[in-house]
Every structure is written in structure tokens, then in C-alpha cells.
Amino acid sequence: MGIGRIAHYSFDLVLISIILAGIHRNTGLQFDTSHFSSVDVRRWFGNYLAFGESCYDKVVGLLKFSGYFKQRNLVYDYVERNANQLLREQTGRDLDDFKKSL
């Protein structure tokens, strides 16, 4: 087995671990290691998942400061859009018109 193939498989394992960490962070679903009978396998897999969490944190931190991504609050965006629509229906003006007058 060549070094390239080992690097490829290692990279794939890291990506799978990061995906599992993302699923855990966004949904709360966590891989259940209690199905493994060996304590050593459970410990190894727990370390593998912890490594994925660490990599996930580093990737998210890197993306936040890259300038190519921005964080949005979906609830705030929804409320602002509906409030702006309601304001437009009742007054005929947008929220931006009120911001300019201040």
C-alpha cells in the first residue's frame, strides 16, 4: 500500500469524522458507541469522534474569518422580512425609509 493511498484514506476518515461532528452539533444526534463490546474500541471511537469535533471547530473558525462566509440568523431574517412586508402594507413605506429619517 503506497503512501498516497494511506494519505487518501486518512483524509477520508477525517472528513467522515468532521461530518459526524457537524451532525452532532446541528441536530444533537450522536453516534452511540455502546454497541461496541470492547472497551478499547469504544475508547478509540470516542477519541476519533472527539478529533472530528476538534477539526470541526477549527474549520468553522477558519471559515468565519475568511471573509467568504457570513453568519445569518434565520429567525431574525424571517421576522424582519415579514415585519417589512406588514409595514409596507399598512404605511406604504419600507423599513429603510424609517431608518433614513432617523
Side-chain angles (χ1 to χ4, degrees), residues 9-43:
Y9 288 147
S10 299
F11 188 74
D12 288 346
L13 285 172
V14 170
L15 284 179
I16 291 169
S17 180
I18 290 173
I19 289 169
L20 290 173
I23 290 170
H24 177 233
R25 292 284 176 92
N26 291 319
T27 65
L29 295 172
Q30 186 175 8
F31 192 84
D32 187 15
T33 59
S34 66
H35 294 277
F36 299 125
S37 60
S38 173
V39 175
D40 292 332
V41 173
R42 274 189 254 165
R43 187 177 316 131

Side-chain angles (χ1 to χ4, degrees), residues 14-77:
V14 170
L15 284 179
I16 291 169
S17 180
I18 290 173
I19 289 169
L20 290 173
I23 290 170
H24 177 233
R25 292 284 176 92
N26 291 319
T27 65
L29 295 172
Q30 186 175 8
F31 192 84
D32 187 15
T33 59
S34 66
H35 294 277
F36 299 125
S37 60
S38 173
V39 175
D40 292 332
V41 173
R42 274 189 254 165
R43 187 177 316 131
W44 180 87
F45 206 77
N47 289 339
Y48 172 71
L49 294 174
F51 177 72
E53 295 272 344
S54 173
C55 290
Y56 179 82
D57 290 337
K58 289 176 184 170
V59 168
V60 168
L62 182 69
L63 293 177
K64 278 184 181 179
F65 294 109
S66 71
Y68 292 105
F69 295 88
K70 68 177 184 175
Q71 191 169 9
R72 293 181 47 193
N73 186 337
L74 297 177
V75 174
Y76 178 77
D77 291 344

